[in-house]
């Protein structure tokens, strides 16, 4: 325990993508979060919080979470970013000097996000692909364009290869292979 630990009586806890955790995890968290204490078996220690932590939990809605758990949550559903927001996100990450690149990538990414029936460009189309673009894929694409000096142009072979690698992901398997 550090000397200044008392100065930080509150904590922020991030549980990222809880829907991908073991199915029992949400219900297993009910008692520790409610009692503000938990046991760390590796340290053979009981941890007791002085103040309730701010717990932020993310989910991709890949699996329904238990209702007992959800009753204790305040939900905030974030809408996918529009063109203006994507450009602002890129500027926050990479600076303002490449705004035209950010806008061009956003223009090429957004049409694919707006339709479930969108397919990659004809030269990269496969029956196993579907669009799964998010702000993260957008940023990956922008970063690749900047580092490789690739201009976002749907008619350019280099752009087509780059966008295939960063934007068009194979579908997740729905059953045993």
């Amino acid at each position: 325990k550090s000397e200044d630990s008392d100065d930080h009586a509150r904590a922020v806890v991030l549980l990222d993508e809880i829907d991908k955790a073991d199915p029992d995890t949400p219900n297993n968290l009910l008692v520790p979060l409610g009692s503000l204490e938990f046991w760390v078996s590796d340290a053979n220690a009981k941890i007791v919080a002085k103040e309730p932590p701010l717990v932020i939990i993310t989910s991709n809605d890949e699996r329904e979470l238990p209702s007992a758990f959800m009753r204790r949550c305040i939900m905030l559903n974030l809408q996918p970013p529009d063109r203006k927001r994507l450009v602002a996100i890129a500027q926050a990450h990479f600076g303002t000097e490449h705004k035209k690149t950010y806008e061009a990538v956003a223009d090429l990414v957004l049409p694919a996000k707006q339709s479930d029936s969108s397919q990659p460009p004809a030269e990269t189309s496969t029956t196993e692909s579907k669009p799964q673009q998010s702000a993260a894929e957008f940023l990956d694409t922008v970063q690749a364009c900047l580092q490789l000096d690739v201009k976002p142009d749907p008619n350019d072979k280099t752009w087509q290869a780059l966008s295939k690698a960063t934007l068009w992901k194979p579908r997740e398997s729905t059953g045993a292979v």
Side-chain angles (χ1 to χ4, degrees):
K1 187 173 183 178
S2 66
E3 292 178 5
D4 65 353
S5 65
D6 290 336
D7 293 339
H8 307 287
R10 306 247 3 227
V12 176
V13 177
L14 171 64
L15 302 173
D16 195 24
E17 298 184 353
I18 196 168
D19 53 323
K20 294 181 181 176
D22 183 279
D24 294 332
T25 299
N27 283 336
N28 291 343
L29 289 170
L30 294 177
V31 171
L33 291 174
S35 67
L36 303 180
E37 61 185 47
F38 60 95
W39 182 259
V40 180
S41 56
D42 291 343
N44 197 25
K46 182 179 183 180
I47 307 299
V48 180
K50 294 178 183 174
E51 297 288 333
L54 171 61
V55 181
I56 300 171
I57 302 169
T58 68
S59 171
N60 292 328
D61 289 333
E62 290 184 10
R63 181 184 68 212
E64 190 171 329
L65 298 172
S67 58
F69 180 78
M70 294 303 297
R71 281 193 301 272
R72 291 164 173 85
C73 296
I74 298 171
M75 291 180 45
L76 173 64
N77 291 315
L78 301 177
Q79 296 301 313
D82 60 11
R83 180 182 190 269
K84 181 178 177 181
R85 182 73 180 129
L86 285 175
V87 170
I89 291 169
Q91 288 178 318
H93 281 265
F94 306 114
T96 58
E97 72 179 89
H98 301 285
K99 186 175 179 182
K100 289 188 188 304
T101 298
Y102 312 151
E103 291 171 339
V105 173
D107 288 341
L108 293 168
V109 168
L110 285 174
K113 288 176 70 173
Q114 295 169 350
S115 171
D116 288 340
S117 63
S118 295
Q119 292 296 316
E123 307 204 0
T124 62
S125 181
T126 69
T127 57
E128 294 299 312
S129 294
K130 76 173 186 174
Q132 296 180 353
Q133 297 83 9
S134 68
E137 282 90 9
F138 167 75
L139 287 174
D140 290 345
T141 306
V142 167
Q143 184 174 22
C145 285
L146 296 176
Q147 288 179 342
L148 301 172
D149 196 29
V150 173
K151 303 297 180 224
D153 177 356
N155 298 315
D156 179 71
K157 300 273 189 215
T158 305
W159 163 255
Q160 290 173 3
L162 185 146
S163 67
K164 180 180 180 185
T166 59
L167 296 174
W168 301 104
K169 310 292 177 156
R171 287 186 178 154
E172 290 185 26
S173 177
T174 56
V177 180

